[in-house]
Amino acid sequence: MDSTELLNIFNCIGTYGETNNGMYRLAYSDADNDTHDYLFNLLVEKGYDVRTDAMGNIFAEIPSSEPNAKIVATGSHLDTVHCGGKYDGTVGVIAGLFALEKLKTCKLKHTVQLIIFRAEESSRFGFSCMASKALTGNADIKKWLENTDSNGMNFFDASGTSPRDIENAKLDNEHYKSFIEVHIEQGNILESYGLHVGIVSAIAAPTRFCITVKGHADHSGATPMDLRSDALCAAARIINDINHEAYIRKDEGTVGTVGKLDVYPNSMNVVPGEVEFTVDIRGIDKDSVDAVIKHMYYSIEEATQIHHVKFNVVELCNDLPVNLDRSVFQTLVNAAEDEKIPYHEMNSGAGHDAMYMSKIIPTSMIFIPSKGGISHHPEEYSEFDDVILAGQILANAMEKMAN
Amino acid sequence: MDSTELLNIFNCIGTYGETNNGMYRLAYSDADNDTHDYLFNLLVEKGYDVRTDAMGNIFAEIPSSEPNAKIVATGSHLDTVHCGGKYDGTVGVIAGLFALEKLKTCKLKHTVQLIIFRAEESSRFGFSCMASKALTGNADIKKWLENTDSNGMNFFDASGTSPRDIENAKLDNEHYKSFIEVHIEQGNILESYGLHVGIVSAIAAPTRFCITVKGHADHSGATPMDLRSDALCAAARIINDINHEAYIRKDEGTVGTVGKLDVYPNSMNVVPGEVEFTVDIRGIDKDSVDAVIKHMYYSIEEATQIHHVKFNVVELCNDLPVNLDRSVFQTLVNAAEDEKIPYHEMNSGAGHDAMYMSKIIPTSMIFIPSKGGISHHPEEYSEFDDVILAGQILANAMEKMAN
């Protein structure tokens, strides 16, 4: 398959769920189901052994005839967020297809497989990586039954599956040798280095908090500075402190963000009486993440004293960073060197299906640059040439592992 | 009139526009008009010379028979904000009525007058102190014609007046000797001193800004700390700096507040790309206010460099502080001492009708404590005994000035 045909397939996928304001291909929406049908038929036409499981995940294989052949797999997803882009997920499916097409004519000891996962984005049901969670035995069936989309439909209604199906969806890790996911970076590191490929050694895990600051809503003109309990000033101190503490740990790969903040009553002439904000701290070095969290609590204590406010801190999650498989990582490095493609060894700040796959199968990832670091947005963009570069490294590495 | 009758009148006023969620007596609403009718009839019954002008302001007098008698006036307003309290404004009308009732039997050289102003709160048309602006020639007729309430009705439609009426409403300052307004403090200074009365020597003026910070909305996990343009971190720096700079100038009576702040896109896993916030700096010492403003601009310059963001600063207003009349102030001090009522000499952080009256008539104010500093809120509360204390000082001072 030449790159023009591949680009045509990529462009065709981009028509499903396309609007004037970005992509709307939520998990199990008509647009998402149609895209899966299109890919299923295409893969059958191309001569692969293709099956779907109860969730609708697609598995397309070049089977090996060898006894005890294990599976060398790649894969990504096709669903998008609300108002999303055309690259997140799709790029990994296209690179996987590129690799399988290249390996079609090779005689391999192992089976090679492309997995197209369902429901990676959390936009519909509030859970991310639902397929890779199910395939690796990490589904939280109880919560999946409870949570619904904005129309009151839960995952099971929308996908036509049952809790039993999900329990049965788990892959046998004994059958798999490796998994590699190609994905857009969703950040601006590769762009800042002027490189076209990243090879990923670890995936950062988020620790998240929702923090409420309770002060006192007073008249902005009539309340002297020393008689105030200004919730926004207290929050501003925490925001600056988290930012500073994460900044000095930037070489450890740690980041800290206050992305959402709401002020009450939010009026020009009233001292803010209450502020609610979220904190998202991520890293691949747990000690470094913990140091920022410790500093956040210290900063909260200080702000309590200085601004005469009260804090309520709710921890939303506290996940462990994932170190990807060193051997798969090294195979990717060797493949990039074979292909004479300069690469950057890096971490993933965002979560991916590879994070769950790595729990049962030796796993690594390849990143390509996101223009301007933009993702989950209609302006999300990556060079198609970079998808091909990633596909070349992927094919080379899969061939090495399948021999 | 004994204080029980006065309390009954106060309570009766509190029934107009009362809801389960505070007072709704917006300027020229039915509730507001009914309250004015009730007061007009009450003042006629009590034997005062009562008239209204084209705006519906009430003027109730004990006329002097002396030739060239000037007017010694007091007054306040009856309209409320949305979801307001029962004390703001009304307390000044009740204290004024208390004073006039006391002076009824005295033989005075000068006329004493109670003015009940319309439309002091800005909640309906976006302009505060509309009556006192009109009575002192400070109405901005063009803007009053343009701006409308939430139903598309402008001030003239709602009040049944014309621009010509407003031009003719101006008082002749030659006819007035003094004006004193009793009001709730709307802050917590008196409460913090444990005092029941404040005598006001100056009214702070606000300088206000609307500031937009433009950064870059990036993935919170995938964007390293040194490749961010975080608009909220930049805003947090300004918030803390304004707070700190106003705090160190607290003895100069200066205050600085960021009361309203909105984050875009306001999502837990996105670095804030844009933040819009307001700044409200007030004081009675223009140099002190200017020093805080200068520091704000310095802080903006610093944040621009550190956080790689752009600022857009719009100045909304830049008013001059108002020094109230020293002679009227001293008369109030003497009156408080006569009445053996301890008082606190203070400034007003909030604007009042007295601010505009002072432009053409020697003016001062008396404050009573606001419980917990709360105002413009259903929980707004002042002790009725304090209204009587203010009324005693007011009556004593008006008698002094009317002789």
Side-chain angles (χ1 to χ4, degrees):
Chain A
M1 190 186 288
D2 64 10
S3 65
T4 308
E5 188 184 351
L6 213 59
L7 179 57
N8 287 341
I9 296 168
F10 173 81
N11 286 335
C12 179
I13 293 172
T15 61
Y16 291 94
E18 186 180 25
T19 76
N20 288 335
N21 189 30
M23 300 298 297
Y24 281 80
R25 202 160 65 213
L26 288 195
Y28 298 105
S29 62
D30 288 348
D32 186 43
N33 291 336
D34 290 349
T35 322
H36 271 258
D37 288 347
Y38 164 67
L39 259 300
F40 183 90
N41 294 329
L42 181 94
L43 291 163
V44 170
E45 270 170 38
K46 292 285 172 192
Y48 297 104
D49 276 12
V50 191
R51 67 173 178 92
T52 57
D53 65 6
M55 274 185 88
N57 299 309
I58 297 173
F59 299 83
E61 285 182 0
I62 309 171
S64 160
S65 54
E66 305 246 346
N68 304 319
K70 285 196 168 191
I71 301 168
V72 171
T74 183
S76 196
H77 64 98
L78 293 170
D79 62 316
T80 75
V81 298
H82 295 274
C83 186
K86 292 185 173 178
Y87 297 82
D88 185 338
T90 301
V91 149
V93 173
I94 293 292
L97 179 57
F98 175 92
L100 259 67
E101 287 289 298
K102 267 209 136 181
L103 300 176
K104 240 180 187 172
T105 52
C106 307
K107 192 164 162 54
L108 302 169
K109 281 190 197 150
H110 293 285
T111 295
V112 294
Q113 185 181 73
L114 170 64
I115 309 176
I116 306 180
F117 298 92
R118 304 298 304 236
E120 195 267 351
E121 303 290 359
S122 60
S123 301
R124 181 159 184 193
F125 304 108
F127 308 105
S128 64
C129 304
M130 296 180 87
S132 52
K133 280 174 181 164
L135 294 175
T136 60
N138 287 288
D140 188 335
I141 305 276
K142 193 167 165 282
K143 284 194 181 163
W144 290 15
L145 279 162
E146 286 165 8
N147 269 37
T148 60
D149 68 6
S150 55
N151 292 317
M153 197 181 259
N154 74 11
F155 163 78
F156 296 100
D157 300 331
S159 64
T161 56
S162 67
R164 171 73 55 92
D165 287 335
I166 297 305
E167 276 157 23
N168 292 339
K170 200 185 161 190
L171 299 174
D172 185 346
N173 64 319
E174 295 294 321
H175 290 166
Y176 279 83
K177 191 174 176 198
S178 63
F179 177 77
I180 300 166
E181 181 172 4
V182 175
H183 205 278
I184 59 167
E185 180 197 340
Q186 303 184 265
N188 46 13
I189 298 173
L190 287 173
E191 198 175 65
S192 76
Y193 282 102
L195 287 171
H196 296 274
V197 170
I199 301 180
V200 181
S201 56
I203 301 179
T207 301
R208 287 172 166 177
F209 303 91
C210 179
I211 300 183
T212 310
V213 197
K214 284 206 190 274
H216 201 275
D218 290 309
H219 193 291
S220 67
T223 314
M225 298 310 289
D226 54 341
L227 295 178
R228 294 179 173 212
S229 304
D230 188 324
L232 183 57
C233 284
R237 172 176 283 267
I238 315 300
I239 292 165
N240 277 339
D241 282 355
I242 290 173
N243 185 258
H244 178 256
E245 198 64 18
Y247 188 88
I248 61 173
R249 292 170 189 283
K250 67 183 188 313
D251 295 337
E252 296 161 5
T254 301
V255 292
T257 310
V258 174
K260 189 175 185 324
L261 181 139
D262 296 291
V263 180
Y264 306 95
N266 211 28
S267 172
M268 189 189 303
N269 64 348
V270 182
V271 176
E274 188 170 328
V275 169
E276 192 178 284
F277 63 98
T278 60
V279 179
D280 178 357
I281 301 171
R282 306 197 199 192
I284 42 107
D285 176 342
K286 186 65 181 155
D287 290 343
S288 177
V289 167
D290 285 346
V292 177
I293 294 169
K294 193 177 161 191
H295 193 83
M296 180 189 84
Y297 277 109
Y298 174 73
S299 178
I300 285 172
E301 214 168 287
E302 222 177 39
T304 304
Q305 302 300 321
I306 293 171
H307 294 289
H308 318 294
V309 295
K310 284 185 180 158
F311 281 87
N312 182 40
V313 181
V314 178
E315 188 182 272
L316 303 177
C317 67
N318 186 349
D319 296 341
L320 286 172
V322 174
N323 284 312
L324 297 177
D325 186 78
R326 283 313 290 177
S327 156
V328 180
F329 174 84
Q330 192 55 51
T331 307
L332 286 172
V333 165
N334 296 344
E337 283 167 3
D338 280 357
E339 302 284 332
K340 301 198 190 330
I341 299 169
Y343 62 91
H344 180 59
E345 176 179 343
M346 64 191 299
N347 304 314
S348 171
H352 298 287
D353 286 317
M355 193 159 69
Y356 292 94
M357 295 301 275
S358 77
K359 291 181 191 287
I360 65 164
I361 303 169
T363 291
S364 187
M365 294 187 75
I366 304 171
F367 274 174
I368 62 167
S370 294
K371 190 182 173 195
I374 297 166
S375 73
H376 287 186
H377 191 277
E379 285 174 25
E380 176 180 284
Y381 180 77
S382 294
E383 293 289 342
F384 197 73
D385 286 351
D386 293 344
V387 183
I388 301 298
L389 291 182
Q392 283 171 5
I393 297 171
L394 177 66
N396 186 308
M398 287 178 85
E399 186 178 357
K400 280 182 171 56
M401 283 183 291
N403 270 323
Chain B
M1 188 187 291
D2 65 11
S3 65
T4 308
E5 189 183 350
L6 213 58
L7 178 58
N8 288 341
I9 296 167
F10 173 81
N11 287 335
C12 180
I13 293 171
T15 61
Y16 291 95
E18 187 180 25
T19 76
N20 287 336
N21 188 31
M23 300 298 297
Y24 282 79
R25 202 161 63 213
L26 288 195
Y28 298 106
S29 63
D30 289 348
D32 186 44
N33 291 335
D34 291 349
T35 322
H36 271 258
D37 289 348
Y38 163 67
L39 258 299
F40 183 91
N41 293 330
L42 181 95
L43 291 163
V44 170
E45 268 171 38
K46 291 286 173 190
Y48 298 104
D49 276 11
V50 191
R51 67 174 179 91
T52 58
D53 64 8
M55 276 186 87
N57 300 309
I58 296 173
F59 298 83
E61 287 183 358
I62 309 171
S64 160
S65 53
E66 304 246 344
N68 305 320
K70 285 196 168 191
I71 301 168
V72 171
T74 184
S76 197
H77 65 99
L78 292 170
D79 63 317
T80 74
V81 298
H82 295 274
C83 186
K86 293 187 173 176
Y87 296 82
D88 185 338
T90 302
V91 149
V93 173
I94 293 292
L97 179 58
F98 175 91
L100 260 66
E101 286 288 298
K102 267 210 139 182
L103 299 177
K104 240 181 187 172
T105 51
C106 305
K107 192 163 165 51
L108 302 170
K109 280 190 197 151
H110 292 286
T111 295
V112 293
Q113 185 181 73
L114 169 65
I115 308 176
I116 307 179
F117 298 91
R118 304 298 300 239
E120 195 266 352
E121 303 290 359
S122 59
S123 301
R124 183 161 182 191
F125 304 108
F127 308 105
S128 64
C129 304
M130 295 181 88
S132 52
K133 280 174 180 162
L135 294 176
T136 59
N138 287 289
D140 188 336
I141 305 277
K142 194 166 163 284
K143 284 193 181 164
W144 290 16
L145 279 163
E146 285 166 8
N147 268 37
T148 60
D149 68 6
S150 55
N151 293 317
M153 197 181 258
N154 75 10
F155 163 78
F156 295 101
D157 300 332
S159 65
T161 55
S162 66
R164 170 74 52 94
D165 287 335
I166 297 305
E167 276 157 24
N168 292 340
K170 201 184 160 191
L171 298 175
D172 185 345
N173 64 320
E174 294 293 320
H175 292 167
Y176 278 82
K177 191 176 177 195
S178 63
F179 177 77
I180 300 165
E181 182 172 3
V182 174
H183 205 277
I184 59 168
E185 181 197 342
Q186 302 184 263
N188 47 12
I189 299 173
L190 288 171
E191 197 175 65
S192 77
Y193 282 101
L195 288 171
H196 297 274
V197 170
I199 301 179
V200 180
S201 55
I203 301 178
T207 301
R208 287 172 165 177
F209 302 91
C210 180
I211 299 183
T212 310
V213 197
K214 284 205 190 275
H216 201 276
D218 290 309
H219 193 291
S220 68
T223 314
M225 298 309 288
D226 54 341
L227 296 178
R228 295 180 171 211
S229 303
D230 188 324
L232 183 58
C233 284
R237 172 176 283 266
I238 315 300
I239 292 164
N240 277 339
D241 282 355
I242 290 172
N243 186 259
H244 178 256
E245 197 64 21
Y247 188 89
I248 62 174
R249 291 171 190 284
K250 66 184 190 311
D251 295 337
E252 296 161 5
T254 301
V255 293
T257 310
V258 174
K260 187 174 187 323
L261 181 140
D262 296 291
V263 180
Y264 305 96
N266 212 29
S267 172
M268 190 190 303
N269 63 348
V270 182
V271 176
E274 189 171 326
V275 169
E276 192 179 284
F277 64 98
T278 61
V279 178
D280 178 358
I281 301 171
R282 307 196 198 193
I284 43 106
D285 176 342
K286 185 66 179 152
D287 290 343
S288 177
V289 167
D290 284 346
V292 177
I293 294 169
K294 194 177 161 190
H295 193 83
M296 180 189 84
Y297 277 108
Y298 174 72
S299 177
I300 285 173
E301 215 168 286
E302 223 177 39
T304 304
Q305 300 300 322
I306 293 171
H307 294 288
H308 319 294
V309 296
K310 283 184 183 162
F311 280 87
N312 182 40
V313 181
V314 177
E315 188 182 274
L316 303 177
C317 67
N318 186 349
D319 297 342
L320 285 171
V322 174
N323 284 312
L324 297 177
D325 187 78
R326 282 314 291 177
S327 156
V328 180
F329 174 84
Q330 193 53 50
T331 307
L332 286 172
V333 165
N334 296 345
E337 284 168 1
D338 281 357
E339 301 285 332
K340 302 200 189 329
I341 299 169
Y343 63 90
H344 180 59
E345 177 180 342
M346 66 191 298
N347 304 313
S348 171
H352 297 287
D353 286 317
M355 192 161 68
Y356 292 94
M357 296 302 275
S358 77
K359 291 182 190 287
I360 65 164
I361 302 168
T363 290
S364 188
M365 294 186 75
I366 303 171
F367 274 173
I368 63 167
S370 294
K371 190 182 173 195
I374 296 167
S375 73
H376 287 187
H377 191 277
E379 283 173 26
E380 176 181 284
Y381 180 76
S382 296
E383 293 289 342
F384 197 74
D385 287 350
D386 294 343
V387 184
I388 302 297
L389 290 182
Q392 282 170 5
I393 296 171
L394 177 66
N396 186 308
M398 287 179 85
E399 187 177 356
K400 279 180 172 58
M401 284 184 289
N403 270 324

